[in-house]
Amino acid sequence: MRPRLVDWTLFVLAGLVAASGFGAWLLLDAQAAPVIAIHAAAGLAILVPLAWKFRRVRPRITRASAWDWRTPLSLFTAIAAIGSVATGVFWTHAQAPTGYPNGMHLHIVFGIALIVSIVLHVTLRFKLPSRRDLQGRRDALRWLGMLGFGALLLPAQHVANHALNLPGAQRRFTGSRGAGDDTGPAMPITNWMFDRPAPIDVTTWRLTVRGAVERPLTLTIDDLQRDDWTTTLRATLDCTGGWHSTQDWRGVRVGNLLDRAGVRPAARFVSFVSVTGYRWSLPLDEAREALLATHYEDVPLEHWHGAPLRLVAPGRRGFMWVKWVGEVVVLAEPDPGQWIAIFTSGLSG
Ligand SMILES: Nc1nc2c(c(=O)[nH]1)N[C@H]1C(S)=C(S)[C@@H](COP(=O)(O)O)O[C@H]1N2
Ligand SMILES: [Mo]
């Protein structure tokens, strides 16, 4: 097979893996499932052209006389590629500890290193593909064989997981492992970056509902616990860091609050802002179905789980379940600044 064909196959597969890796975080569960499957399948399939490429470039590495200034970068790319696949497989299939940092964090670090090094690698060695690269039936068949063999790796892994009852067989489709259900306060605690707020004094705490609404609201904790306001919702928190837990949450449906405040026609998103500055938004219709919870499993939330009020966003990854909510802001536009807020909140007092 022509080297350039193998290189382009690697490049396209790597792009697919990177894009699906980000999609896995951001999409709703139902949409994320096939994207995560593509991520895993393409991530394993890439091993086949990678092995091919390593065989080809081995003399350029093993013979010192063949080294040039680009060789270290190529080695770095190779290490990042192997590290990405190895940490991905390890994290989703082994019984690794869920602490911080864990296998998922390593996977993200290797993945980002890989994206950076591929961009550099391609900039330095770029060659456009041409039709000649896929000429000849034998080459085309070999190429298809390579892809086909790669595509079988994930199903083979699944069969092995179930036959040998490996830990990977018990994982949720996101790769997260169960951390116990209906456990209330014993649920794991995860803070994304720097949020370490002091416990909130509920006698002075207020929830404000503002933005594109007719009647802004200021509510006390007692308002939010009135029997005729509250409902329960069973939902699964699935942290990107690799664990999941299902609880019965109790609180006020966001749609209920929005109806009381009267949403203006321009409204499109609802942002949930923590007292720490952390914030995330959901599209209006989805936000209506979310819950602002004061309780789990019939007990009040514990401080580190976001007391007095946290967002429960069914079907969304855990990092969107804003804790210590102080404001609900109805928006007419998306909020790109939330991407900065989740990385910097907690740093300013
Ligand atoms: N304000 C705030 N909310 C937050 C976070 C945070 O760091 N700050 N971490 C998020 C992440 S990454 C997860 S997985 C869940 C974890 O919730 P728990 O600690 O109650 O299990 O909270 C989310 N809400
Ligand atoms: Mo998380």
Side-chain angles (χ1 to χ4, degrees):
M1 254 186 303
R2 286 171 183 272
R4 202 155 48 183
L5 179 61
V6 178
D7 288 353
W8 272 90
T9 307
L10 279 168
F11 183 61
V12 170
L13 281 176
L16 189 65
V17 173
S20 56
F22 279 112
W25 272 18
L26 290 181
L27 298 172
L28 273 159
D29 274 3
Q31 306 154 344
V35 174
I36 293 170
I38 289 173
H39 184 70
L44 285 177
I46 214 169
L47 288 173
V48 184
L50 205 59
W52 206 289
K53 172 151 185 151
F54 285 162
R55 215 187 46 181
R56 184 183 94 221
V57 300
R58 200 176 53 200
R60 281 202 245 143
I61 307 283
T62 48
R63 272 190 289 114
S65 60
W67 276 54
D68 66 20
W69 61 274
R70 293 178 302 187
T71 314
L73 177 64
S74 303
L75 277 176
F76 181 77
T77 312
I79 291 167
I82 292 170
S84 297
V85 179
T87 50
V89 170
F90 178 70
W91 176 249
T92 46
H93 295 92
Q95 196 63 47
T98 47
Y100 195 92
N102 62 39
M104 177 57 92
H105 301 111
L106 277 181
H107 185 58
I108 292 169
V109 169
F110 272 111
I112 290 173
L114 182 60
I115 293 171
V116 171
S117 56
I118 287 181
V119 169
L120 286 173
H121 198 87
V122 169
T123 324
L124 293 174
R125 300 190 188 258
F126 188 80
K127 293 186 199 96
L128 266 182
S130 76
R131 286 188 49 192
R132 272 196 328 176
D133 289 333
L134 205 53
Q135 250 170 23
R137 267 178 66 147
R138 272 191 51 203
D139 266 14
L141 284 176
R142 275 183 167 178
W143 182 68
L144 287 176
M146 177 176 80
L147 289 184
F149 181 73
L152 286 177
L153 291 178
L154 184 66
Q157 172 87 69
H158 279 308
V159 171
N161 278 346
H162 287 279
L164 305 173
N165 200 22
L166 296 174
Q170 283 114 45
R171 295 302 169 87
R172 200 167 179 250
F173 70 92
T174 55
S176 291
R177 71 176 56 172
D181 295 337
D182 302 298
T183 45
M187 196 178 78
I189 293 166
T190 301
N191 290 313
W192 175 246
M193 296 293 284
F194 308 106
D195 278 6
R196 303 285 182 273
I200 291 174
D201 177 0
V202 290
T203 60
T204 54
W205 173 91
R206 296 288 181 273
L207 176 72
T208 58
V209 181
R210 59 179 185 85
V213 294
E214 306 292 348
R215 299 170 294 278
L217 308 174
T218 303
L219 303 164
T220 65
I221 193 69
D222 292 336
D223 294 331
L224 294 166
Q225 297 189 54
R226 287 168 45 171
D227 282 346
D228 53 335
W229 283 38
T230 56
T231 41
T232 39
L233 178 63
R234 189 166 175 78
T236 302
L237 194 165
D238 188 330
C239 173
T240 339
W243 59 269
H244 64 85
S245 173
T246 303
Q247 311 285 338
D248 287 307
W249 305 88
R250 190 167 84 226
V252 183
R253 224 171 48 84
V254 175
N256 181 343
L257 287 183
L258 295 182
D259 288 342
R260 286 168 203 278
V263 168
R264 294 225 194 100
R268 284 173 54 213
F269 294 91
V270 182
S271 175
F272 300 89
V273 188
S274 173
V275 300
T276 65
Y278 192 101
R279 65 181 201 258
W280 198 262
S281 60
L282 298 174
L284 179 62
D285 289 340
E286 187 188 344
R288 284 183 170 283
E289 302 307 319
L291 191 77
L292 281 166
T294 55
H295 288 65
Y296 42 13
E297 303 296 322
D298 282 326
V299 294
L301 291 180
E302 187 265 338
H303 168 58
W304 290 109
H305 288 132
L309 194 69
R310 80 160 316 151
L311 182 65
V312 170
R316 292 285 184 179
R317 267 333 87 70
F319 79 92
M320 303 184 189
W321 294 39
V322 180
K323 300 194 275 194
W324 309 291
V325 173
E327 283 178 290
V328 173
V329 188
V330 180
L331 302 173
E333 303 289 334
D335 172 26
Q338 67 192 9
W339 281 102
I340 309 225
I342 60 168
F343 286 98
T344 58
S345 70
L347 287 178
S348 53

